[in-house]
PDB file of all heavy atoms in Angstrom:
ATOM      1  N   VAL A  22      -7.979  24.169   2.215  1.00 93.00           N
ATOM      2  CA  VAL A  22      -7.629  24.743   0.912  1.00 93.00           C
ATOM      3  C   VAL A  22      -6.160  25.146   0.915  1.00 93.00           C
ATOM      4  O   VAL A  22      -5.432  24.920  -0.044  1.00 93.00           O
ATOM      5  CB  VAL A  22      -8.547  25.935   0.583  1.00 93.00           C
ATOM      6  CG1 VAL A  22      -8.048  26.665  -0.663  1.00 93.00           C
ATOM      7  CG2 VAL A  22      -9.973  25.465   0.406  1.00 93.00           C
ATOM      8  N   ILE A  23      -5.705  25.737   2.017  1.00 94.00           N
ATOM      9  CA  ILE A  23      -4.305  26.136   2.116  1.00 94.00           C
ATOM     10  C   ILE A  23      -3.386  24.919   2.057  1.00 94.00           C
ATOM     11  O   ILE A  23      -2.349  24.930   1.386  1.00 94.00           O
ATOM     12  CB  ILE A  23      -4.057  26.968   3.390  1.00 94.00           C
ATOM     13  CG1 ILE A  23      -4.750  28.318   3.255  1.00 94.00           C
ATOM     14  CG2 ILE A  23      -2.564  27.142   3.654  1.00 94.00           C
ATOM     15  CD1 ILE A  23      -4.731  29.139   4.535  1.00 94.00           C
ATOM     16  N   TRP A  24      -3.752  23.835   2.728  1.00 94.00           N
ATOM     17  CA  TRP A  24      -2.938  22.604   2.691  1.00 94.00           C
ATOM     18  C   TRP A  24      -2.897  22.013   1.289  1.00 94.00           C
ATOM     19  O   TRP A  24      -1.853  21.552   0.828  1.00 94.00           O
ATOM     20  CB  TRP A  24      -3.446  21.594   3.694  1.00 94.00           C
ATOM     21  CG  TRP A  24      -2.949  21.839   5.056  1.00 94.00           C
ATOM     22  CD1 TRP A  24      -3.656  22.303   6.133  1.00 94.00           C
ATOM     23  CD2 TRP A  24      -1.609  21.679   5.544  1.00 94.00           C
ATOM     24  NE1 TRP A  24      -2.858  22.444   7.230  1.00 94.00           N
ATOM     25  CE2 TRP A  24      -1.589  22.052   6.876  1.00 94.00           C
ATOM     26  CE3 TRP A  24      -0.427  21.265   4.953  1.00 94.00           C
ATOM     27  CZ2 TRP A  24      -0.437  22.027   7.649  1.00 94.00           C
ATOM     28  CZ3 TRP A  24       0.727  21.231   5.712  1.00 94.00           C
ATOM     29  CH2 TRP A  24       0.711  21.619   7.037  1.00 94.00           C
ATOM     30  N   VAL A  25      -4.037  22.017   0.603  1.00 95.00           N
ATOM     31  CA  VAL A  25      -4.065  21.458  -0.761  1.00 95.00           C
ATOM     32  C   VAL A  25      -3.184  22.291  -1.673  1.00 95.00           C
ATOM     33  O   VAL A  25      -2.433  21.753  -2.497  1.00 95.00           O
ATOM     34  CB  VAL A  25      -5.525  21.391  -1.284  1.00 95.00           C
ATOM     35  CG1 VAL A  25      -5.565  21.132  -2.775  1.00 95.00           C
ATOM     36  CG2 VAL A  25      -6.307  20.339  -0.542  1.00 95.00           C
ATOM     37  N   LEU A  26      -3.235  23.611  -1.545  1.00 96.00           N
ATOM     38  CA  LEU A  26      -2.379  24.460  -2.379  1.00 96.00           C
ATOM     39  C   LEU A  26      -0.894  24.263  -2.041  1.00 96.00           C
ATOM     40  O   LEU A  26      -0.060  24.272  -2.945  1.00 96.00           O
ATOM     41  CB  LEU A  26      -2.763  25.928  -2.182  1.00 96.00           C
ATOM     42  CG  LEU A  26      -4.111  26.346  -2.776  1.00 96.00           C
ATOM     43  CD1 LEU A  26      -4.431  27.782  -2.430  1.00 96.00           C
ATOM     44  CD2 LEU A  26      -4.071  26.159  -4.286  1.00 96.00           C
ATOM     45  N   ALA A  27      -0.584  24.084  -0.771  1.00 96.00           N
ATOM     46  CA  ALA A  27       0.823  23.889  -0.375  1.00 96.00           C
ATOM     47  C   ALA A  27       1.354  22.571  -0.926  1.00 96.00           C
ATOM     48  O   ALA A  27       2.471  22.504  -1.482  1.00 96.00           O
ATOM     49  CB  ALA A  27       0.954  23.965   1.136  1.00 96.00           C
ATOM     50  N   VAL A  28       0.586  21.498  -0.775  1.00 96.00           N
ATOM     51  CA  VAL A  28       1.030  20.195  -1.277  1.00 96.00           C
ATOM     52  C   VAL A  28       1.106  20.199  -2.802  1.00 96.00           C
ATOM     53  O   VAL A  28       2.075  19.714  -3.400  1.00 96.00           O
ATOM     54  CB  VAL A  28       0.119  19.064  -0.755  1.00 96.00           C
ATOM     55  CG1 VAL A  28       0.395  17.752  -1.448  1.00 96.00           C
ATOM     56  CG2 VAL A  28       0.256  18.928   0.740  1.00 96.00           C
ATOM     57  N   GLY A  29       0.097  20.773  -3.450  1.00 96.00           N
ATOM     58  CA  GLY A  29       0.121  20.861  -4.923  1.00 96.00           C
ATOM     59  C   GLY A  29       1.267  21.696  -5.434  1.00 96.00           C
ATOM     60  O   GLY A  29       1.891  21.358  -6.437  1.00 96.00           O
ATOM     61  N   GLY A  30       1.587  22.789  -4.740  1.00 95.00           N
ATOM     62  CA  GLY A  30       2.719  23.616  -5.133  1.00 95.00           C
ATOM     63  C   GLY A  30       4.047  22.871  -4.965  1.00 95.00           C
ATOM     64  O   GLY A  30       4.943  23.008  -5.791  1.00 95.00           O
ATOM     65  N   GLY A  31       4.164  22.094  -3.908  1.00 92.00           N
ATOM     66  CA  GLY A  31       5.366  21.292  -3.683  1.00 92.00           C
ATOM     67  C   GLY A  31       5.551  20.245  -4.786  1.00 92.00           C
ATOM     68  O   GLY A  31       6.665  20.060  -5.301  1.00 92.00           O
ATOM     69  N   ILE A  32       4.458  19.591  -5.152  1.00 93.00           N
ATOM     70  CA  ILE A  32       4.545  18.573  -6.202  1.00 93.00           C
ATOM     71  C   ILE A  32       4.884  19.240  -7.542  1.00 93.00           C
ATOM     72  O   ILE A  32       5.705  18.726  -8.298  1.00 93.00           O
ATOM     73  CB  ILE A  32       3.216  17.787  -6.275  1.00 93.00           C
ATOM     74  CG1 ILE A  32       3.083  16.886  -5.032  1.00 93.00           C
ATOM     75  CG2 ILE A  32       3.147  16.948  -7.553  1.00 93.00           C
ATOM     76  CD1 ILE A  32       1.747  16.187  -4.934  1.00 93.00           C
ATOM     77  N   ALA A  33       4.251  20.380  -7.820  1.00 91.00           N
ATOM     78  CA  ALA A  33       4.583  21.085  -9.080  1.00 91.00           C
ATOM     79  C   ALA A  33       6.034  21.523  -9.114  1.00 91.00           C
ATOM     80  O   ALA A  33       6.684  21.436 -10.151  1.00 91.00           O
ATOM     81  CB  ALA A  33       3.648  22.297  -9.214  1.00 91.00           C
ATOM     82  N   LEU A  34       6.560  21.977  -8.001  1.00 90.00           N
ATOM     83  CA  LEU A  34       7.956  22.388  -7.955  1.00 90.00           C
ATOM     84  C   LEU A  34       8.888  21.205  -8.184  1.00 90.00           C
ATOM     85  O   LEU A  34       9.879  21.303  -8.941  1.00 90.00           O
ATOM     86  CB  LEU A  34       8.266  23.032  -6.590  1.00 90.00           C
ATOM     87  CG  LEU A  34       9.679  23.550  -6.381  1.00 90.00           C
ATOM     88  CD1 LEU A  34       9.933  24.720  -7.332  1.00 90.00           C
ATOM     89  CD2 LEU A  34       9.878  23.966  -4.952  1.00 90.00           C
ATOM     90  N   LEU A  35       8.571  20.072  -7.569  1.00 87.00           N
ATOM     91  CA  LEU A  35       9.395  18.865  -7.802  1.00 87.00           C
ATOM     92  C   LEU A  35       9.330  18.392  -9.245  1.00 87.00           C
ATOM     93  O   LEU A  35      10.336  17.959  -9.798  1.00 87.00           O
ATOM     94  CB  LEU A  35       8.953  17.741  -6.854  1.00 87.00           C
ATOM     95  CG  LEU A  35       9.342  17.903  -5.399  1.00 87.00           C
ATOM     96  CD1 LEU A  35       8.696  16.813  -4.538  1.00 87.00           C
ATOM     97  CD2 LEU A  35      10.833  17.859  -5.237  1.00 87.00           C
TER      98      LEU A  35
END
Side-chain angles (χ1 to χ4, degrees):
V22 172
I23 291 172
W24 278 109
V25 167
L26 289 175
V28 170
I32 290 173
L34 182 66
L35 286 174

